[in-house]
Amino acid sequence: KTPKTTVPTRNPSSPLSPNQLSFNPNDPLTDRPVVALTIACLTKTINNYNIVSDHNRFSGAALGLPNGKGELVGDSAMARYIARRSASANLLRGPDEEQVATAESFVDYANALSKFQLIRRVKAISSTLDRLLAEKTYVVGQSMTMADIALFNSLGFPSQFADAAKVESILGNKSYPTLCWMKMMRCCPAIREATQLAMGISNDYEVVVDPHSTMDPLVAGMSPLEGATEGNVVTRFPLEPSGYLHIGHAKAVFVIDGVSDMVAICNFELLVGGCRG
């Protein structure tokens, strides 16, 4: 029996502000807008959207339309909308009509599979990818498209170590093309950033993509850096116009050094006596 697919709806009386992306922080990762967030990160338009949590939202993630007169509901609908708005949409959906249609068909396939249990989804997708990726890297074309992201999401969006281990235990050692593809997807900075944004919305969840490389615990009283992805943040101690450091700089140095120990590289630029040190 073919499972029913959710039809995205447009709410004409949306309480969401324009470009406000809202979802319930109590939902599992695969029910959060991870595909839409990944598309926004890939197209470098993530800063155009205001991500908010709503514990009373039970109808799925939603995006307020720019005109303020409605909202899009559903991860896939939002992802397609964000991709179409972006100047780099072709990189996500294919360079020609044939590849666009192929990518869209894989997205629909991934959405249909989402109604089944994880084991069945993993076996179905690996059966497809093992043949498809025997001599290529991506599902459609020569770069990552929404097809790759949607299929990755159908696998449970295994960007974190524990989720990836679960999928790998189902695959075993026989699905080498699928395993290589999954590892490549997990290493994608946009996938990691989307995971951090989706899971860190409540400011109390630490994303673990590698058990041997985790963020250090926060200093007491210090809040997490919203949207931070380990290794992708650079803090900067600015130039000192007065020429010399004094006791008032101690707090700034302490905070910057504490953040850099967790997620960043610290760049000290001090102008002392006309010399940069």
Side-chain angles (χ1 to χ4, degrees):
K1 183 178 180 181
T2 303
K4 295 181 179 179
T5 56
T6 303
V7 179
T9 59
R10 182 181 185 275
N11 185 352
S13 58
S14 173
L16 296 179
S17 302
N19 292 331
Q20 188 175 63
L21 201 163
S22 175
F23 57 92
N24 193 325
N26 295 321
D27 287 340
L29 180 61
T30 50
D31 289 342
R32 303 185 190 194
V34 285
V35 177
L37 289 172
T38 302
I39 295 295
C41 292
L42 274 173
T43 57
K44 302 186 185 304
T45 59
I46 189 64
N47 291 332
N48 296 341
Y49 303 96
N50 179 26
I51 304 171
V52 297
S53 62
D54 185 355
H55 290 267
N56 297 317
R57 177 168 289 278
F58 303 105
S59 58
L63 174 66
L65 295 174
N67 59 15
K69 297 181 180 180
E71 66 182 37
L72 288 173
V73 178
D75 190 16
S76 182
M78 291 187 292
R80 285 170 168 152
Y81 175 73
I82 293 171
R84 291 189 180 105
R85 289 186 69 189
S86 169
S88 57
N90 286 341
L91 297 177
L92 296 166
R93 303 177 63 247
D96 54 52
E97 293 183 359
E98 289 75 14
Q99 290 195 7
V100 168
T102 303
E104 293 281 3
S105 68
F106 274 109
V107 172
D108 292 338
Y109 170 63
N111 291 339
L113 286 177
S114 65
K115 304 300 180 181
F116 297 110
Q117 294 294 324
L118 179 63
I119 294 179
R120 186 172 179 181
R121 298 200 309 266
V122 171
K123 290 182 177 180
I125 291 174
S126 65
S127 177
T128 300
L129 294 183
D130 285 346
R131 295 192 301 269
L132 190 65
L133 301 179
E135 298 180 355
K136 54 190 293 190
T137 304
Y138 299 98
V139 174
V140 178
Q142 303 300 317
S143 61
M144 186 181 297
T145 66
M146 200 183 302
D148 295 281
I149 302 167
L151 289 171
F152 188 74
N153 186 44
S154 191
L155 288 176
F157 209 80
S159 54
Q160 299 187 85
F161 177 78
D163 297 328
K166 187 183 299 183
V167 175
E168 290 170 359
S169 67
I170 298 173
L171 290 174
N173 298 321
K174 298 180 180 179
S175 299
Y176 184 73
T178 301
L179 288 169
C180 290
W181 171 85
M182 190 174 75
K183 183 177 181 180
M184 174 197 69
M185 295 294 291
R186 291 186 63 226
C187 292
C188 174
I191 294 285
R192 293 190 173 190
E193 184 178 358
T195 305
Q196 183 73 56
L197 290 170
M199 298 302 296
I201 192 169
S202 57
N203 287 334
D204 60 0
Y205 189 93
E206 181 180 334
V207 173
V208 179
V209 295
D210 184 344
H212 303 295
S213 176
T214 58
M215 297 181 185
D216 294 333
L218 293 176
V219 176
M222 188 176 180
S223 299
L225 184 62
E226 183 178 355
T229 304
E230 184 176 5
N232 290 345
V233 179
V234 176
T235 58
R236 176 177 177 267
F237 194 93
L239 297 174
E240 174 52 43
S242 62
Y244 297 95
L245 293 175
H246 52 78
I247 192 64
H249 295 96
K251 181 179 179 181
V253 172
F254 175 78
V255 171
I256 290 174
D257 184 61
V259 172
S260 66
D261 283 344
M262 293 184 295
V263 295
I265 300 171
C266 189
N267 182 20
F268 283 91
E269 295 182 10
L270 307 180
L271 189 60
V272 181
C275 298
R276 179 174 295 182

